[in-house]
Amino acid sequence: MPADAKQDRLPAAGPWTKYQSRDIPPGFRIVQQPPANVFDQFDPPAANVFDQSDTPAGKQGPWTRYESSEIPSGFRVVQQPPPASDPWSAFPDAPPVKRPPASPVGPFPGMLQPGNIDLEHRPIAKNADGSYSTVRSMSFGDDSGKEILVPTVSPDGKILPDQAAIDAHGKTGQTLGVFDTPAHADMYAGALHKSQEQFYGAQPKKPRFAGVPADAAPGAGGPWAAFPDTSPAAPISTGLDVAESAASGVPRGMAETAMAPITLNRLGEDVGGWLFDKAEGPVRSMLGMDPATPGPERDRFKDMLINPLTGAVNFAIQKATGDNDADIRSGVYGAQDKTREIMDAVLHKPQTTPGKFVGTIAEFAAPGGIPSRAVRAAPGAASKAGRYLEEALGNVVAPALASEASGQATEGTQYEGLSRFLGALFGNAGAAASRAHNAPEAVIRRATEGTTEAEWQAARQLQDNSLGIDLSSPESLAQARGGASKLRDILRVVEGSTTGGNITAPFFAARPAQVDSAVGGVLDLIAPQHPQPSILGPRAAEAAGAVVDQTRQGINAQTRPLYQAAEQQLIPHSDFAPIEADPRFAAALERLRGNAELAPDYAGMPDNSIAVVDAVTKDMAARGEALSNSANPLYGPELAGRQRTGAADARNVATQRSPEYAQALAEQERLRRTDLNPLVQGPVGRLAAAKDTVTAGNALLPQNPLSGSAPEAADAVQRLVRQDPETTTALVRQNLADRYSTAQTETQGGSRESAGAKFHRSVAGNDQRQAVLDAVLRNLPGGQAGAAMPELLDVLQATMRRDAPGSSTAANQLIHGDLGARSPIGTVIDLTKSLGASFLTQAGDAAKRAQLRGNLAHLGDILTGPEAVQRTRAARDRRPTVSYPEAGLRTLFESGQTLQDPRGAR
């Protein structure tokens, strides 16, 4: 059966090329005939000069091996020890070249007999493109089932058709080796081709024969013009080699992809044939059958078993034509071999390590572009295109890098093709496993580990809120878990990326309007917006003052009976005299008697009566309080102290002489301490002292309330609602609306997406604030706002769980690692970095960035939008599948560049 035709190529050269394998010993040189050669003037006459015409028959000497028909017409080899005066003695003979072996070093699998052809002196056949071949080969099966490898270059340097090469073997018995299977023959042929290329490539490209002056080099004219210059070209630059390798790799990859069905058919036949040969004997032995007899019938049965369709077609052709050797595959396989020969001759062959890697990446571009199942399942043309571009890099770069790295490690050996194939398989499988490991579903599963069923349900309730505020699943889950959710980090990374941010940005951009509507709706449940908010503070202060006055009046009314019982009682003159002598008491008594409003109430009472003493001491105490105020123009701390001391002394005397009066004062003090003072010192008193709406509102809803102050806030609202319900509810609404407005305007960057979160912090940012707010709202008329506010606060707090996209923190880097991943792709890239080619790193980074972009976009779709919680949970429960079958299929489509035609064998 024909196998791949293998050939090595030498640069086009002149007629001297055939002498490159022969070392010209010192004392000999080639000269041109006739003797009139201009260089012969340097040759002294000597009897020891032998040429092709005058060498005595049978006379032997060191020169005789050159005296053959191989010397071109017009030239001869002469022995001429140069005299000391020879001017060309400065040009010594070129040193012998140390060359690699002409045949590969074994052992080789499946080789039954080694070849019997001299591989060091192969004829050189000139190809149509100007290059030369020495070891073109093909293989065929003989009647015994052995595979014979023979050359397709005749001894006279002509290229033979396959049948002519087989016939020549039948006549000469020459082979390059006998093998057990075509696959082993092909493997050895590839290694032989590589060895021949190295053997002939190591020969000097421009021989320097003895006595040839440097200025007589080719191109300088003269007799040496017949020997063209084949000096090696200047080394190609890495950049140019990379560019040409990429340009040549793409068409080769496209051609191999187009020929993939042929390649796979040949591969299947080779594998099937090997299995058949291995299994045939044991099977026949088990069935009690005799060993198979080699021949056409066995081959036909083998073909029918391995490839029924091809076997049937061949059988039909053989029957129709009568040619038992007819085989439809010979033309197809020959065309494939010829196509590869043309590509080898025309396309650039990489010369540098970076060029080899780039060339392999370019060759893998076509088979790596086979759309995956995920691409085919993507919705819409744009999504399909984006996913295709994302996967193409991973499907091309990873297997190409792995294949080339493996191939370079075994280049020139019989294992190179298999190594490249396995490297591509590892790269494709690694890319598939990487996508499964780094899939958004896997990242979500790791981030939601430990979430309970109750927490999932709580998150869904938050998402399905009645306020019209859309929440992302990370916000809902974080709120349900008290902030303990790693999905927040993922959302931050997604938002911070260009790809993911383009998806999440519209979702969050709609939030300000949603929060505006939700907050406004709850505030309207408290009261409608007042048309004149500036008057609410003064009105509320009046209402609070009235509450305080009513409390004082209540205390007086409660103690009035005790006062009435003591009013007519008199203080003895002996005890009253010191009191009366106090000028401050006397002045206060005079003011009481002269007061047109109060004097009539005390007109019939003596100065030492309990009623008069009580009234005078109240005036003194009030006067002392006024004088102690630094804002009073009559401010005098000393006078204030004496006023209060005098009043206290007078009352002490009075309480000693009147038990009823003492009881009345004690009861009044108790009621002030329990009823009046807390009122005056608490929210009502602060509200009563307020001068504007902002101060009045903060009196009820302070920014920093005292711990445990919720009960006094509730009491204050109850008292104020009884006094003025309309003003009280309007004041509460106004205060909350002002805080929301502040939260909107204080947001940085002009964005209002976090206004709801700021509002929550302002009104319920800690337990004390939330308790006071709840106490105030629960005691307002109707109670609707108190029932609606908890849901609003819960949802707004959930929006606080969204972290603003920031710098690349450790969490960001970890998530990027999960999504764009080290995995097998990263491992291959790390291995190839040691080769010192920066483009490998860039290619790997491009693949990782493409994968990262696709994953971030997919995450953006999952984490935001309607039913985000349900979709996030479904993603967590969905196990990513590893598409190993697709990876294997892609590797098979790449087998033309790896297993069948490895770079090292081209």
Side-chain angles (χ1 to χ4, degrees):
M1 183 177 74
D4 289 343
K6 302 293 180 180
Q7 65 177 5
D8 63 298
R9 301 183 177 278
L10 300 176
W16 52 265
T17 305
K18 68 176 66 181
Y19 306 109
Q20 290 182 350
S21 63
R22 304 178 182 275
D23 300 328
I24 304 299
F28 289 84
R29 62 176 175 171
I30 296 177
V31 298
Q32 186 178 25
Q33 292 179 321
N37 188 328
V38 294
F39 293 102
D40 284 348
Q41 60 183 305
F42 302 105
D43 297 333
N48 62 344
V49 176
F50 299 94
D51 58 18
Q52 294 174 319
S53 60
D54 59 6
T55 302
K59 185 174 183 178
Q60 300 294 318
W63 63 87
T64 54
R65 61 174 173 154
Y66 303 106
E67 298 173 356
S68 68
S69 59
E70 293 182 351
I71 302 298
S73 176
F75 289 85
R76 62 177 178 170
V77 178
V78 298
Q79 184 177 26
Q80 177 73 44
S85 60
D86 188 349
W88 304 110
S89 61
F91 303 94
D93 294 330
V97 178
K98 184 178 181 180
R99 291 169 291 175
S103 61
V105 178
F108 292 94
M111 176 178 278
L112 304 178
Q113 296 177 16
N116 54 14
I117 295 177
D118 182 6
L119 296 174
E120 293 189 358
H121 304 95
R122 292 291 301 147
I124 300 175
K126 186 175 182 180
N127 298 309
D129 61 357
S131 61
Y132 290 83
S133 298
T134 63
V135 70
R136 282 179 102 257
S137 63
M138 58 85 62
S139 67
F140 66 94
D142 64 4
D143 293 340
S144 65
K146 299 175 182 178
E147 194 73 12
I148 313 298
L149 184 66
V150 297
T152 58
V153 177
S154 68
D156 57 356
K158 296 181 180 179
I159 296 179
L160 302 175
D162 288 351
Q163 189 57 48
I166 297 173
D167 294 341
H169 164 72
K171 295 176 181 179
T172 65
Q174 290 186 327
T175 72
L176 295 172
V178 180
F179 300 86
D180 57 351
T181 65
H184 286 148
D186 286 350
M187 186 182 298
Y188 176 80
L192 176 61
H193 156 73
K194 183 66 176 179
S195 297
Q196 285 278 288
E197 180 182 39
Q198 294 174 346
F199 175 78
Y200 285 99
Q203 300 182 54
K205 300 301 181 182
K206 182 178 179 181
R208 291 287 304 278
F209 300 123
V212 178
D215 59 358
W224 298 105
F227 302 98
D229 187 3
T230 59
S231 300
I236 190 171
S237 69
T238 300
L240 181 59
D241 185 48
V242 166
E244 293 187 4
S245 299
S248 299
V250 171
R252 182 183 288 274
M254 295 176 65
E256 289 291 354
T257 302
M259 296 188 298
I262 304 174
T263 301
L264 296 178
N265 193 70
R266 296 177 78 164
L267 181 62
E269 289 181 350
D270 290 345
V271 174
W274 182 83
L275 293 175
F276 181 89
D277 293 339
K278 292 294 183 183
E280 183 183 25
V283 170
R284 283 180 170 272
S285 176
M286 289 174 57
L287 298 177
M289 300 173 63
D290 295 333
T293 301
E297 293 298 327
R298 175 185 179 274
D299 293 342
R300 187 176 299 112
F301 173 75
K302 181 178 179 180
D303 280 349
M304 291 291 290
L305 183 64
I306 296 173
N307 196 332
L309 179 61
T310 303
V313 172
N314 285 340
F315 180 75
I317 295 175
Q318 293 167 5
K319 287 296 184 182
T321 62
D323 183 3
N324 291 334
D325 294 327
D327 193 333
I328 191 174
R329 293 167 295 191
S330 59
V332 177
Y333 292 170
Q336 184 183 43
D337 294 338
K338 187 63 178 177
T339 301
R340 286 174 175 162
E341 290 180 16
I342 294 174
M343 289 191 295
D344 289 343
V346 174
L347 297 179
H348 172 75
K349 185 174 182 179
Q351 301 179 27
T352 64
T353 296
K356 292 178 181 179
F357 274 96
V358 169
T360 302
I361 291 174
E363 290 182 20
F364 278 37
I370 301 173
S372 70
R373 181 173 53 189
V375 172
R376 297 191 298 270
S383 180
K384 289 180 184 293
R387 193 65 183 266
Y388 177 80
L389 292 175
E390 165 209 335
E391 289 191 357
L393 283 175
N395 292 341
V396 172
V397 175
L401 294 181
S403 177
E404 183 60 33
S406 301
Q408 289 194 17
T410 56
E411 188 170 359
T413 71
Q414 68 269 34
Y415 304 110
E416 180 185 355
L418 181 61
S419 296
R420 290 182 179 272
F421 178 83
L422 293 178
L425 179 62
F426 170 78
N428 281 311
S434 171
R435 290 193 186 96
H437 174 77
N438 305 315
E441 292 81 0
V443 175
I444 289 175
R445 184 167 58 255
R446 291 190 288 269
T448 57
E449 186 176 357
T451 304
T452 65
E453 178 65 26
E455 289 167 343
W456 281 110
Q457 292 301 324
R460 183 169 181 176
Q461 290 175 2
L462 280 167
Q463 173 194 264
D464 299 336
N465 64 81
S466 63
L467 302 168
I469 300 177
D470 294 333
L471 295 176
S472 66
S473 58
E475 292 172 313
S476 299
L477 278 169
Q479 179 66 10
R481 305 193 72 199
S485 175
K486 298 303 290 182
L487 280 177
R488 296 167 57 183
D489 292 333
I490 296 176
L491 179 62
R492 182 183 66 249
V493 172
V494 171
E495 283 195 78
S497 68
T498 302
T499 306
N502 287 335
I503 294 175
T504 59
F507 175 82
F508 290 112
R511 176 161 294 173
Q514 296 170 355
V515 174
D516 287 348
S517 176
V519 172
V522 174
L523 295 184
D524 286 343
L525 294 177
I526 299 173
Q529 176 61 52
H530 198 281
Q532 296 175 299
S534 59
I535 69 172
L536 293 176
R539 286 187 179 178
E542 292 177 6
V547 170
V548 172
D549 290 342
Q550 290 172 2
T551 302
R552 287 196 179 101
Q553 292 171 5
I555 292 174
N556 292 336
Q558 196 169 348
T559 58
R560 173 59 56 188
L562 295 174
Y563 275 108
Q564 289 176 346
E567 281 181 352
Q568 301 299 324
Q569 295 177 4
L570 301 177
I571 299 174
H573 287 289
S574 59
D575 294 330
F576 183 68
I579 297 174
E580 188 178 23
D582 185 350
R584 285 165 291 280
F585 184 87
L589 179 59
E590 184 178 355
R591 287 192 298 272
L592 176 64
R593 297 296 186 184
N595 190 303
E597 295 182 7
L598 297 177
D601 294 336
Y602 300 95
M605 297 180 183
D607 292 343
N608 62 339
S609 64
I610 295 297
V612 172
V613 172
D614 179 67
V616 171
T617 54
K618 286 180 180 179
D619 180 79
M620 292 174 66
R623 191 171 183 81
E625 188 69 26
L627 291 174
S628 65
N629 188 350
S630 60
N632 190 344
L634 301 178
Y635 170 69
E638 185 177 355
L639 293 176
R642 292 183 178 182
Q643 289 282 350
R644 289 194 292 266
T645 301
D649 291 343
R651 285 194 172 184
N652 285 336
V653 173
T655 56
Q656 292 174 3
R657 295 292 179 259
S658 175
E660 291 79 6
Y661 181 58
Q663 184 180 359
L665 290 177
E667 181 64 15
Q668 193 173 54
E669 179 61 26
R670 184 187 67 80
L671 293 174
R672 285 178 178 275
R673 187 172 59 254
T674 59
D675 295 350
L676 182 61
N677 291 345
L679 194 65
V680 173
Q681 296 166 4
V684 174
R686 293 194 297 270
L687 179 56
K691 304 298 183 184
D692 55 59
T693 300
V694 174
T695 306
N698 289 338
L700 286 179
L701 294 168
Q703 286 281 1
N704 298 297
L706 298 174
S707 297
S709 60
E712 67 177 16
D715 177 72
V717 172
Q718 292 172 2
R719 292 174 184 269
L720 291 169
V721 166
R722 287 195 296 266
Q723 186 67 31
D724 189 346
E726 182 178 348
T727 299
T728 302
T729 55
L731 179 66
V732 172
R733 187 204 194 281
Q734 187 65 43
N735 181 267
L736 295 176
D738 290 344
R739 294 193 185 189
Y740 181 63
S741 178
T742 300
Q744 290 177 307
T745 57
E746 288 183 354
T747 303
Q748 295 180 355
S751 172
R752 298 195 301 114
E753 292 178 11
S754 61
K758 287 179 173 288
F759 175 67
H760 178 278
R761 283 193 291 268
S762 176
V763 301
N766 55 43
D767 293 342
Q768 289 75 31
R769 290 181 190 175
Q770 187 161 0
V772 169
L773 177 64
D774 182 61
V776 169
L777 295 180
R778 282 190 294 102
N779 287 281
L780 292 178
Q784 297 94 330
M789 186 60 75
E791 182 185 22
L792 175 64
L793 293 177
D794 206 16
V795 172
L796 294 182
Q797 188 176 34
T799 67
M800 295 172 59
R801 308 297 185 182
R802 172 193 172 206
D803 297 322
S807 61
S808 183
T809 61
N812 291 24
Q813 294 171 359
L814 179 61
I815 295 168
H816 277 94
D818 278 348
L819 293 170
R822 297 301 306 143
S823 67
I825 296 179
T827 303
V828 171
I829 293 170
D830 285 343
L831 290 174
T832 55
K833 279 182 181 178
S834 60
L835 298 171
S838 61
F839 76 93
L840 298 176
T841 303
Q842 296 169 0
D845 288 344
K848 288 161 59 179
R849 285 195 300 269
Q851 185 176 19
L852 180 62
R853 284 193 297 269
N855 287 340
L856 289 171
H858 190 26
L859 279 172
D861 287 330
I862 293 175
L863 301 180
T864 59
E867 298 185 345
V869 173
Q870 294 92 312
R871 286 188 284 112
T872 300
R873 186 172 188 180
R876 184 208 65 166
D877 296 337
R878 185 169 56 249
R879 298 289 173 177
T881 57
V882 183
S883 54
Y884 287 134
E886 290 184 357
L889 178 63
R890 192 174 297 109
T891 304
L892 289 176
F893 269 81
E894 293 160 350
S895 61
Q897 300 96 299
T898 59
L899 196 60
Q900 277 211 341
D901 190 27
R903 183 186 304 282
R906 293 173 188 168

